[in-house]
Amino acid sequence: MGEDYIVEHGVTVEANGDVESVDRLMSGVQAPPLYARTMNTEGPYGGFHCTEFHAPSFHILHSGITGTGRPREDGYLIKVLNGITPIDADHSLYYYAFSRNFAVDQEWATQESIEGLATVLDEDKNAGIAKARRVMERLLIAEKASPRG
């Protein structure tokens, strides 16, 4: 979401089978720049940032703002889908797509989203890696121990 206040709010971490989720709720925050410019609006808002890692190779990011005290479904959302496909023992292909439910007909907002997402991906490339690797290690051990392995 591009704001320093993100780190000031705690996170909830949940594990459900092969899915690891990290969820952050932020009440009374200002709208991040893209939202503010696109919607010509100002806060305070309720912000949310949730990441889900679906082992072995899929990640979903839900990021947005909504009126303070309002459900996420009433807000403005950016969703980023990430797929990782191994091509050999040392290399993988990385695919991503993103969508938003606001300013969908504004080309400048699309370009700003593309540039912003590239920056975020570069900054966050190591975030959550340790947890994801632990899940993958557990899955690989289980696979090797199975009668099929």
Side-chain angles (χ1 to χ4, degrees):
M1 291 173 63
E3 296 296 328
D4 292 337
Y5 59 70
I6 291 175
V7 297
E8 298 171 7
H9 294 80
V11 297
T12 301
V13 178
E14 292 183 18
N16 184 3
D18 295 335
V19 179
E20 295 279 339
S21 298
V22 179
D23 198 7
R24 184 184 314 267
L25 298 174
M26 303 159 281
S27 63
V29 299
Q30 294 299 312
L34 174 63
Y35 294 101
R37 282 191 296 280
T38 304
M39 298 177 295
N40 193 26
T41 189
E42 297 179 11
Y45 289 95
F48 54 91
H49 188 92
C50 178
T51 62
E52 301 171 8
F53 174 65
H54 297 255
S57 61
F58 189 65
H59 175 263
I60 306 170
L61 165 69
H62 312 266
S63 179
I65 61 171
T66 189
T68 300
R70 302 289 303 161
R72 294 179 193 201
E73 297 79 27
D74 290 352
Y76 298 94
L77 173 68
I78 292 175
K79 186 178 283 196
V80 184
L81 308 172
N82 304 270
I84 302 98
T85 302
I87 55 175
D88 62 36
D90 299 314
H91 301 90
S92 294
L93 295 175
Y94 173 68
Y95 299 95
Y96 73 90
F98 69 93
S99 63
R100 65 180 186 275
N101 68 352
F102 59 94
V104 295
D105 58 346
Q106 302 295 315
E107 182 60 29
W108 68 267
T110 299
Q111 290 306 313
E112 190 169 313
S113 296
I114 291 169
E115 292 165 13
L117 183 58
T119 300
V120 168
L121 288 172
D122 189 51
E123 291 172 351
D124 291 352
K125 62 184 168 189
N126 293 321
I129 294 296
K131 283 186 173 279
R133 286 187 176 151
R134 283 195 293 271
V135 170
M136 292 302 298
E137 182 177 358
R138 178 177 53 80
L139 290 172
L140 288 170
I141 289 169
E143 183 178 299
K144 287 178 183 177
S146 77
R148 298 176 301 160

